[in-house]
Amino acid sequence: PNAFSPGSGTSINDELKVIKRGIATLNFFKVFNRWGQLVFQTTDIEQGWNGQFNGKPQPMGTYVYIIDAQTSTGRKYYKQGNVTLIR
């Protein structure tokens, strides 16, 4: 996805997370704000970002994400891109 809307009152699209296909290990999933500040990171492939940083909802805008993972067969997966947080 290129946008998500946390806190919208529905359970749809409330969290930005890695969608896995098969068995994979997440080395890291990081999200940065437009100033390059790390606002979320995890190594748990089941955990996603809810649009908050230090317990405070983050403003609408564009955020950068980086995913570094590896499949059970050893294939490396690296992706980076932008996502828009909509309130």
Side-chain angles (χ1 to χ4, degrees):
N2 60 1
F4 76 116
S5 55
S8 63
T10 67
S11 60
I12 300 169
N13 213 18
D14 272 348
E15 196 173 65
L16 177 67
K17 64 189 299 186
V18 176
I19 298 173
K20 65 179 180 171
R21 295 183 191 130
I23 299 171
T25 303
L26 184 63
N27 297 321
F28 63 80
F29 170 39
K30 297 180 180 183
V31 180
F32 300 87
N33 65 17
R34 66 181 179 177
W35 296 283
Q37 180 182 21
L38 181 66
V39 295
F40 176 79
Q41 69 176 344
T42 187
T43 57
D44 180 354
I45 203 160
E46 302 298 330
Q47 185 180 13
W49 182 46
N50 64 1
Q52 295 191 16
F53 178 59
N54 289 335
K56 296 181 182 176
Q58 293 302 287
M60 285 181 40
T62 302
Y63 292 79
V64 174
Y65 66 85
I66 302 174
I67 300 167
D68 185 353
Q70 187 169 342
T71 68
S72 61
T73 61
R75 183 173 172 220
K76 295 189 180 270
Y77 179 82
Y78 182 85
K79 182 168 177 99
Q80 63 184 18
N82 299 320
V83 64
T84 302
L85 188 151
I86 301 169
R87 295 244 180 239

